[in-house]
Amino acid sequence: MAWWVWLIIAFAIGIVELSSITFVLLWFAIGALVTAFVSLAIHDVWLQLLVFAVLGVALFVASRPLARKWKRVKSYPDRSETLIGKTGVVVTASEPGAFATVRVQGDLWSARSNSKLEPGQNIIVRAASATILTVEPIRGEG
């Protein structure tokens, strides 16, 4: 195959990779690019295909441990996670286990508690999910 065919293949795979942002096809695009240069010296199409396949798979396999490591590293905490330990005020009352509305750092959140919550009561956030806080009243209030 001509070298420019491998460049077109590398470009096409690169475009698909950019639209998917998975970094899976990136290695095959690089394999096609390297094969374009190899095809200048090796004219056998089957050998070129072998070089492309081996390079693509080898780069993919070599990058998996790095990808897993980067995926595990959480660089930024979720907004709800930053609320743990913060205090707030009950806006709407609730019985134990039912939903209440609380204001924490100026934002309204749905919240649950194992205690009865009364409007105006101060609370502390003990756990947080994407949309629901687990809170408990601050003891010692008068």
Side-chain angles (χ1 to χ4, degrees):
M1 225 181 306
W3 64 270
W4 55 269
V5 174
W6 284 109
L7 284 179
I8 291 171
I9 292 170
F11 182 74
I13 294 173
I15 294 295
V16 173
E17 173 58 43
L18 287 175
S19 66
S20 70
I21 60 171
T22 59
F23 293 110
V24 172
L25 296 176
L26 171 68
W27 309 118
F28 291 96
I30 291 171
L33 183 63
V34 170
T35 304
F37 292 109
V38 169
S39 69
L40 295 171
I42 299 173
H43 300 292
D44 183 17
V45 174
W46 292 110
L47 199 50
Q48 292 175 15
L49 287 170
L50 181 65
V51 168
F52 167 70
V54 168
L55 271 174
V57 170
L59 289 171
F60 175 75
V61 169
S63 70
R64 288 295 92 194
L66 287 174
R68 282 192 201 105
K69 180 180 176 184
W70 289 337
K71 190 174 183 178
R72 261 186 264 133
V73 174
K74 196 172 190 180
S75 56
Y76 299 104
D78 292 339
R79 183 166 191 313
S80 60
E81 291 173 355
T82 64
L83 296 174
I84 296 172
K86 303 291 185 198
T87 58
V89 177
V90 176
V91 176
T92 60
S94 76
E95 294 298 317
F99 285 106
T101 304
V102 297
R103 184 179 306 274
V104 179
Q105 292 186 329
D107 293 327
L108 293 176
W109 290 83
S110 293
R112 279 194 171 169
S113 177
N114 291 330
S115 304
K116 184 175 181 177
L117 298 176
E118 297 291 335
Q121 187 177 26
N122 291 324
I123 52 91
I124 187 164
V125 179
R126 294 297 180 197
S129 67
T131 58
I132 299 171
L133 302 179
T134 301
V135 301
E136 62 182 49
I138 296 176
R139 302 291 178 205
E141 292 184 345

PDB file of all heavy atoms in Angstrom, residues 85-103:
ATOM      1  N   GLY A  85     -19.339  17.989  56.813  1.00  0.00           N
ATOM      2  CA  GLY A  85     -18.775  18.734  57.934  1.00  0.00           C
ATOM      3  C   GLY A  85     -19.230  20.186  57.985  1.00  0.00           C
ATOM      4  O   GLY A  85     -19.013  20.870  58.982  1.00  0.00           O
ATOM      5  N   LYS A  86     -19.878  20.665  56.947  1.00  0.00           N
ATOM      6  CA  LYS A  86     -20.377  22.044  56.916  1.00  0.00           C
ATOM      7  C   LYS A  86     -21.676  22.135  57.701  1.00  0.00           C
ATOM      8  O   LYS A  86     -22.398  21.163  57.861  1.00  0.00           O
ATOM      9  CB  LYS A  86     -20.619  22.523  55.476  1.00  0.00           C
ATOM     10  CG  LYS A  86     -19.407  22.446  54.580  1.00  0.00           C
ATOM     11  CD  LYS A  86     -18.363  23.448  54.990  1.00  0.00           C
ATOM     12  CE  LYS A  86     -17.231  23.392  53.967  1.00  0.00           C
ATOM     13  NZ  LYS A  86     -16.019  23.958  54.410  1.00  0.00           N
ATOM     14  N   THR A  87     -21.969  23.328  58.165  1.00  0.00           N
ATOM     15  CA  THR A  87     -23.207  23.544  58.909  1.00  0.00           C
ATOM     16  C   THR A  87     -24.207  24.270  58.029  1.00  0.00           C
ATOM     17  O   THR A  87     -23.841  24.905  57.032  1.00  0.00           O
ATOM     18  CB  THR A  87     -22.948  24.371  60.180  1.00  0.00           C
ATOM     19  OG1 THR A  87     -22.364  25.624  59.813  1.00  0.00           O
ATOM     20  CG2 THR A  87     -22.038  23.628  61.132  1.00  0.00           C
ATOM     21  N   GLY A  88     -25.472  24.142  58.410  1.00  0.00           N
ATOM     22  CA  GLY A  88     -26.539  24.793  57.669  1.00  0.00           C
ATOM     23  C   GLY A  88     -27.751  24.982  58.553  1.00  0.00           C
ATOM     24  O   GLY A  88     -27.693  24.761  59.770  1.00  0.00           O
ATOM     25  N   VAL A  89     -28.851  25.380  57.933  1.00  0.00           N
ATOM     26  CA  VAL A  89     -30.091  25.664  58.652  1.00  0.00           C
ATOM     27  C   VAL A  89     -31.234  24.924  57.980  1.00  0.00           C
ATOM     28  O   VAL A  89     -31.318  24.870  56.745  1.00  0.00           O
ATOM     29  CB  VAL A  89     -30.372  27.182  58.648  1.00  0.00           C
ATOM     30  CG1 VAL A  89     -31.690  27.503  59.330  1.00  0.00           C
ATOM     31  CG2 VAL A  89     -29.235  27.936  59.303  1.00  0.00           C
ATOM     32  N   VAL A  90     -32.136  24.364  58.786  1.00  0.00           N
ATOM     33  CA  VAL A  90     -33.316  23.682  58.268  1.00  0.00           C
ATOM     34  C   VAL A  90     -34.296  24.737  57.753  1.00  0.00           C
ATOM     35  O   VAL A  90     -34.586  25.717  58.436  1.00  0.00           O
ATOM     36  CB  VAL A  90     -33.983  22.822  59.371  1.00  0.00           C
ATOM     37  CG1 VAL A  90     -35.264  22.184  58.851  1.00  0.00           C
ATOM     38  CG2 VAL A  90     -33.009  21.775  59.877  1.00  0.00           C
ATOM     39  N   VAL A  91     -34.810  24.525  56.532  1.00  0.00           N
ATOM     40  CA  VAL A  91     -35.787  25.433  55.934  1.00  0.00           C
ATOM     41  C   VAL A  91     -37.197  24.867  56.101  1.00  0.00           C
ATOM     42  O   VAL A  91     -38.117  25.581  56.485  1.00  0.00           O
ATOM     43  CB  VAL A  91     -35.466  25.692  54.443  1.00  0.00           C
ATOM     44  CG1 VAL A  91     -36.522  26.558  53.797  1.00  0.00           C
ATOM     45  CG2 VAL A  91     -34.085  26.319  54.305  1.00  0.00           C
ATOM     46  N   THR A  92     -37.353  23.574  55.793  1.00  0.00           N
ATOM     47  CA  THR A  92     -38.655  22.924  55.998  1.00  0.00           C
ATOM     48  C   THR A  92     -38.472  21.737  56.929  1.00  0.00           C
ATOM     49  O   THR A  92     -37.487  21.007  56.846  1.00  0.00           O
ATOM     50  CB  THR A  92     -39.274  22.436  54.673  1.00  0.00           C
ATOM     51  OG1 THR A  92     -38.402  21.496  54.067  1.00  0.00           O
ATOM     52  CG2 THR A  92     -39.534  23.597  53.718  1.00  0.00           C
ATOM     53  N   ALA A  93     -39.427  21.551  57.823  1.00  0.00           N
ATOM     54  CA  ALA A  93     -39.350  20.519  58.856  1.00  0.00           C
ATOM     55  C   ALA A  93     -39.537  19.129  58.271  1.00  0.00           C
ATOM     56  O   ALA A  93     -40.056  18.957  57.165  1.00  0.00           O
ATOM     57  CB  ALA A  93     -40.421  20.783  59.913  1.00  0.00           C
ATOM     58  N   SER A  94     -39.095  18.133  59.060  1.00  0.00           N
ATOM     59  CA  SER A  94     -39.341  16.739  58.677  1.00  0.00           C
ATOM     60  C   SER A  94     -39.274  15.854  59.904  1.00  0.00           C
ATOM     61  O   SER A  94     -38.660  16.185  60.913  1.00  0.00           O
ATOM     62  CB  SER A  94     -38.318  16.270  57.645  1.00  0.00           C
ATOM     63  OG  SER A  94     -37.086  16.011  58.259  1.00  0.00           O
ATOM     64  N   GLU A  95     -39.923  14.722  59.788  1.00  0.00           N
ATOM     65  CA  GLU A  95     -39.858  13.674  60.802  1.00  0.00           C
ATOM     66  C   GLU A  95     -38.616  12.826  60.503  1.00  0.00           C
ATOM     67  O   GLU A  95     -38.068  12.872  59.403  1.00  0.00           O
ATOM     68  CB  GLU A  95     -41.127  12.818  60.754  1.00  0.00           C
ATOM     69  CG  GLU A  95     -42.389  13.568  61.146  1.00  0.00           C
ATOM     70  CD  GLU A  95     -42.345  14.082  62.576  1.00  0.00           C
ATOM     71  OE1 GLU A  95     -41.901  13.331  63.474  1.00  0.00           O
ATOM     72  OE2 GLU A  95     -42.750  15.240  62.798  1.00  0.00           O
ATOM     73  N   PRO A  96     -38.165  12.003  61.464  1.00  0.00           N
ATOM     74  CA  PRO A  96     -36.998  11.145  61.223  1.00  0.00           C
ATOM     75  C   PRO A  96     -37.181  10.262  59.982  1.00  0.00           C
ATOM     76  O   PRO A  96     -38.211   9.640  59.797  1.00  0.00           O
ATOM     77  CB  PRO A  96     -36.918  10.294  62.491  1.00  0.00           C
ATOM     78  CG  PRO A  96     -37.556  11.144  63.545  1.00  0.00           C
ATOM     79  CD  PRO A  96     -38.658  11.887  62.835  1.00  0.00           C
ATOM     80  N   GLY A  97     -36.181  10.262  59.102  1.00  0.00           N
ATOM     81  CA  GLY A  97     -36.193   9.449  57.890  1.00  0.00           C
ATOM     82  C   GLY A  97     -36.875  10.097  56.712  1.00  0.00           C
ATOM     83  O   GLY A  97     -36.726   9.646  55.577  1.00  0.00           O
ATOM     84  N   ALA A  98     -37.642  11.171  56.942  1.00  0.00           N
ATOM     85  CA  ALA A  98     -38.334  11.854  55.841  1.00  0.00           C
ATOM     86  C   ALA A  98     -37.423  12.957  55.288  1.00  0.00           C
ATOM     87  O   ALA A  98     -36.407  13.318  55.876  1.00  0.00           O
ATOM     88  CB  ALA A  98     -39.649  12.449  56.336  1.00  0.00           C
ATOM     89  N   PHE A  99     -37.821  13.485  54.129  1.00  0.00           N
ATOM     90  CA  PHE A  99     -37.030  14.540  53.508  1.00  0.00           C
ATOM     91  C   PHE A  99     -37.348  15.900  54.103  1.00  0.00           C
ATOM     92  O   PHE A  99     -38.503  16.223  54.378  1.00  0.00           O
ATOM     93  CB  PHE A  99     -37.285  14.600  52.004  1.00  0.00           C
ATOM     94  CG  PHE A  99     -36.636  13.489  51.245  1.00  0.00           C
ATOM     95  CD1 PHE A  99     -37.387  12.454  50.734  1.00  0.00           C
ATOM     96  CD2 PHE A  99     -35.266  13.473  51.056  1.00  0.00           C
ATOM     97  CE1 PHE A  99     -36.799  11.419  50.034  1.00  0.00           C
ATOM     98  CE2 PHE A  99     -34.652  12.442  50.361  1.00  0.00           C
ATOM     99  CZ  PHE A  99     -35.434  11.408  49.848  1.00  0.00           C
ATOM    100  N   ALA A 100     -36.306  16.684  54.286  1.00  0.00           N
ATOM    101  CA  ALA A 100     -36.424  18.080  54.691  1.00  0.00           C
ATOM    102  C   ALA A 100     -35.661  18.899  53.665  1.00  0.00           C
ATOM    103  O   ALA A 100     -34.962  18.352  52.808  1.00  0.00           O
ATOM    104  CB  ALA A 100     -35.817  18.282  56.075  1.00  0.00           C
ATOM    105  N   THR A 101     -35.809  20.195  53.748  1.00  0.00           N
ATOM    106  CA  THR A 101     -35.011  21.094  52.923  1.00  0.00           C
ATOM    107  C   THR A 101     -34.093  21.862  53.856  1.00  0.00           C
ATOM    108  O   THR A 101     -34.535  22.386  54.877  1.00  0.00           O
ATOM    109  CB  THR A 101     -35.900  22.076  52.137  1.00  0.00           C
ATOM    110  OG1 THR A 101     -36.829  21.327  51.358  1.00  0.00           O
ATOM    111  CG2 THR A 101     -35.063  22.953  51.219  1.00  0.00           C
ATOM    112  N   VAL A 102     -32.813  21.892  53.516  1.00  0.00           N
ATOM    113  CA  VAL A 102     -31.836  22.610  54.323  1.00  0.00           C
ATOM    114  C   VAL A 102     -31.059  23.577  53.432  1.00  0.00           C
ATOM    115  O   VAL A 102     -30.949  23.382  52.229  1.00  0.00           O
ATOM    116  CB  VAL A 102     -30.861  21.653  55.046  1.00  0.00           C
ATOM    117  CG1 VAL A 102     -31.598  20.753  56.022  1.00  0.00           C
ATOM    118  CG2 VAL A 102     -30.053  20.828  54.066  1.00  0.00           C
ATOM    119  N   ARG A 103     -30.544  24.630  54.054  1.00  0.00           N
ATOM    120  CA  ARG A 103     -29.696  25.591  53.335  1.00  0.00           C
ATOM    121  C   ARG A 103     -28.274  25.432  53.874  1.00  0.00           C
ATOM    122  O   ARG A 103     -28.031  25.610  55.061  1.00  0.00           O
ATOM    123  CB  ARG A 103     -30.181  27.018  53.550  1.00  0.00           C
ATOM    124  CG  ARG A 103     -29.398  28.043  52.750  1.00  0.00           C
ATOM    125  CD  ARG A 103     -29.908  29.460  52.956  1.00  0.00           C
ATOM    126  NE  ARG A 103     -31.328  29.590  52.691  1.00  0.00           N
ATOM    127  CZ  ARG A 103     -31.884  29.806  51.486  1.00  0.00           C
ATOM    128  NH1 ARG A 103     -31.102  29.889  50.430  1.00  0.00           N
ATOM    129  NH2 ARG A 103     -33.187  29.928  51.350  1.00  0.00           N
TER     130      ARG A 103
END
